[in-house]
Amino acid sequence: LRRKGLWSKYPDARLGGEDGKYSVCDAPELLSAAAAAAPLPPADVYSAGVIGLMLLLGRIPTGRDVKAAREGRLRTFAGRPFRLLSTILSKMVCEEPEDRPSAAVLVKELEVCVSAVREAQEG
């Protein structure tokens, strides 16, 4: 993120919370010291989901945005590609790590989304 300059575009995403010790991209389970010491792949999926929300919304997602995404109520642009992407993001930001998709499943779902974008462009 630092190399790509995303932090300079979204400086408020660097540190969150009242004590300023975690990033808005940190998975909920990372708020415990034990989990933060050895994060598992689902934490990365959560972080990627929050970054996806940032890019889709064009701003730092609030707790309300993440909750809306989890519940499938995220308001985005019209069209099948955006509905698919919203569905994928809703799975990525699930509160429980075991409810998040694996990287392999995520790649397959994103491929479907990319195909929908190509169809929309052609059609």
Side-chain angles (χ1 to χ4, degrees):
L1 290 173
R2 287 185 194 111
R3 277 187 256 133
K4 299 295 181 190
L6 190 60
W7 286 137
S8 63
K9 183 167 175 72
Y10 297 105
D12 295 338
R14 283 187 224 169
L15 297 173
E18 292 177 14
D19 58 4
K21 292 186 179 181
Y22 65 91
S23 163
V24 295
C25 295
D26 284 347
E29 65 270 17
L30 295 182
L31 299 180
S32 77
L40 297 173
D44 292 337
V45 170
Y46 183 92
S47 296
V50 173
I51 292 168
L53 287 173
M54 265 189 231
L55 297 173
L56 188 64
L57 297 171
R59 59 180 168 76
I60 304 294
T62 63
R64 188 177 298 173
D65 293 325
V66 174
K67 183 177 180 185
R70 283 183 191 137
E71 296 172 355
R73 298 182 296 107
L74 187 65
R75 292 184 181 196
T76 62
F77 304 99
R80 184 170 181 257
F82 290 105
R83 284 192 306 274
L84 290 170
L85 185 57
S86 292
T87 300
I88 294 167
L89 292 173
S90 72
K91 295 174 188 177
M92 293 174 73
V93 296
C94 281
E95 198 159 350
E96 298 300 323
E98 61 271 7
D99 293 336
R100 297 178 204 138
S102 67
V105 169
L106 192 55
V107 167
K108 288 179 183 178
E109 291 183 357
L110 288 170
E111 286 173 347
V112 171
C113 189
V114 168
S115 294
V117 169
R118 288 186 180 133
E119 288 173 15
Q121 288 174 341
E122 293 171 358

